[in-house]
Amino acid sequence: MQKECMKLLEDHPSPRAVWIMEPFIIVPAVRELSNKVVEYVRNGGIAILGGLFASCIDPSSFNDWIRDVWNLPWRWKEPRLSLTRLLIPGCLSERLGISVHP
């Protein structure tokens, strides 16, 4: 599955968004794919976590993945932290037209 996903990202380097539906992306053996998605997002892309992803991983694995791969302080079921991070000026907020005042 990693090879197919990597090929899609290589064939389509500027997708509108990447929808992460499968939980396999958090497995260390596919770290290269996770890193590619992180690179895409840090260069202005959008990643959406949904589908089976949310219902098939355990909170501890999510916390480790989001910390180790994404370098984010997010924690499972703590939307306050996630929203705060998304609304940093210059991030997704500007593209969505959200006004952010520190």
Side-chain angles (χ1 to χ4, degrees):
M1 171 102 37
Q2 177 180 354
K3 287 181 181 181
E4 292 88 354
C5 293
M6 291 292 287
K7 178 144 178 46
L8 274 173
L9 287 173
E10 289 168 5
D11 291 347
H12 306 280
S14 299
R16 299 271 237 165
V18 172
W19 189 1
I20 301 171
M21 298 178 63
E22 297 288 339
F24 81 91
I25 195 166
I26 70 168
V27 176
V30 296
R31 177 65 62 94
E32 183 181 1
L33 177 59
S34 285
N35 290 340
K36 190 78 168 166
V37 173
V38 170
E39 177 185 346
Y40 159 76
V41 170
R42 295 227 164 103
N43 286 318
I46 297 170
I48 302 162
L49 303 176
L52 291 176
F53 180 87
S55 60
C56 291
I57 63 168
D58 66 273
S60 177
S61 296
F62 174 82
N63 293 343
D64 292 346
W65 179 70
I66 209 77
R67 181 195 64 234
D68 297 343
V69 176
W70 289 83
N71 195 28
L72 291 172
W74 297 358
R75 310 260 321 143
W76 184 262
K77 295 203 177 193
E78 290 188 21
R80 176 185 52 82
L81 291 174
S82 303
L83 185 59
T84 300
R85 186 65 177 198
L86 281 176
L87 295 180
I88 291 175
C91 194
L92 182 58
S93 58
E94 287 183 358
R95 286 190 277 158
L96 295 177
I98 299 171
S99 177
V100 179
H101 301 284

